[in-house]
Amino acid sequence: MTKSYKRDGQQYLYFSQKTGDSVCVMDIGKNKPKLVETIKVGVQPASLVTNRSKTRLYVINRGSDSVSIVDTTTAPMETVATLSLGAVPYAIAVDPEQTRAFVSCGPMDAGTIKIIDLTVNPPVLVNTTPVRGLLFHGMAVSPDSKRLFVAGGPKDDTINDSLSVYDITASAPVLIATVEGQNESPEFVYVNPTGSYAIASFRQGGINVFDAAATPPVLLSTVGSGEVNGSALSPDGHLLLMGYAEPAGGEGNFAIYDVSSIPPGTGLFFTNAYPPGPMTFSADGARLYMMSGNELVMFDMTMHPPQVTGHVAVTGPAGGITI
């Protein structure tokens, strides 16, 4: 059966050129990834995500305060809608049912969560929920489409929460809880495929694992340290790969944690010549693709430790990467 994200046998990886106005499309169905298209979007594209069926690509345009929606089934791929948000967007998540997209917007002292209705053509902005001091950087929707997890939370002079959780079963998000962690500057958040765990990682180091089904969510474990430059959760939710800021010598430092159980398994630490950047797993979890400066680097994740199997020069730096 041909999957919808394949066209003429191709499989696609997308990365945004954060200093420009385009998204690059790489064919990764062959041994060596190859640039096949460049899609014009907005100014300074950053975060990007595909829907579950891989028929749409959603791109945060931080420099033009908008979201571009790309039809990935056409040849060439084309931007079919651009929605102005009226505020600087930071992170985006699409619910598993493919009916809504959630966007966090700034500025820091008067943030919002915006909801885009994806069931109409063209998609429209249907709700803007004010929040106070959202830190913006990561968002994820639970597998049952009932909860939205946001890395960061309400902030005042003394509190820097690591996770905010919203009930999204109604037309407007309703804050369930903000859970204070043991680290600052949350950057990424993931929910495993069963919806049991939420995992937040931090710019200033560390991983917090929460019971995502509890009300309020409960902090279960904290591991790791170091300044994080990228992270990715495997499709089965078992492995979390963390990339840390390179030392003076320029090597990349990485760690893999088994997050299939709590507390997470002991990290596997390894180094290579490529400083870490935005990264994503392949659909089967056997490979990892990472942007390192102006190179796309491929890892074999079936090896212990993972080994670099190739690299391709690209136009960077990347604001985000996804498959």
Side-chain angles (χ1 to χ4, degrees), residues 19 46 68 73 99 105 118 122 134 153 161 169 196-197 207 228 230-231 248-249 257 268 273 279 287 301 317:
T19 58
S68 293
T73 67
T99 61
C105 294
L118 305 178
L134 195 64
D161 296 299
T169 57
S196 56
Y197 302 146
I207 304 162
V228 178
S231 66
Y257 292 94
L268 168 66
M279 58 184 71
R287 291 162 291 164
M301 298 302 296

Side-chain angles (χ1 to χ4, degrees), residues 11 28 233-236 239 241 256 280-289 297-309 323:
Q11 299 177 52
I28 57 172
L233 183 69
S234 63
D236 62 8
L239 299 179
L241 180 63
I256 301 176
T280 187
F281 277 90
S282 62
D284 61 5
R287 291 162 291 164
L288 183 104
Y289 296 90
V297 183
M298 290 75 71
F299 291 81
D300 183 345
M301 298 302 296
T302 67
M303 302 183 72
H304 186 88
Q307 298 294 312
V308 173
T309 59
I323 287 178

Side-chain angles (χ1 to χ4, degrees), residues 207 221 223 238 256-269:
I207 304 162
S221 179
V223 296
H238 289 176
I256 301 176
Y257 292 94
D258 180 355
V259 291
S260 61
S261 61
I262 301 302
T266 303
L268 168 66
F269 298 92

Side-chain angles (χ1 to χ4, degrees), residues 25-102:
V25 184
M26 306 289 290
D27 176 8
I28 57 172
K30 301 177 175 61
N31 291 332
K32 185 175 182 179
K34 178 181 178 181
L35 178 68
V36 290
E37 294 183 33
T38 300
I39 309 165
K40 286 289 185 181
V41 287
V43 180
Q44 296 178 356
S47 304
L48 65 171
V49 64
T50 51
N51 62 358
R52 175 173 284 185
S53 62
K54 308 298 181 183
T55 59
R56 292 289 187 272
L57 172 71
Y58 301 89
V59 184
I60 289 288
N61 302 310
R62 197 161 292 168
S64 52
D65 300 344
S66 64
V67 173
S68 293
I69 302 174
V70 177
D71 185 343
T72 63
T73 67
T74 60
M77 299 180 190
E78 60 179 350
T79 299
V80 294
T82 299
L83 280 68
S84 177
L85 298 173
V88 179
Y90 282 79
I92 185 167
V94 177
D95 73 347
E97 297 174 350
Q98 307 182 148
T99 61
R100 297 169 295 173
F102 301 85

Side-chain angles (χ1 to χ4, degrees), residues 204-221:
Q204 300 305 319
I207 304 162
N208 284 353
V209 183
F210 301 87
D211 180 343
T215 303
V218 177
L219 178 64
L220 301 175
S221 179

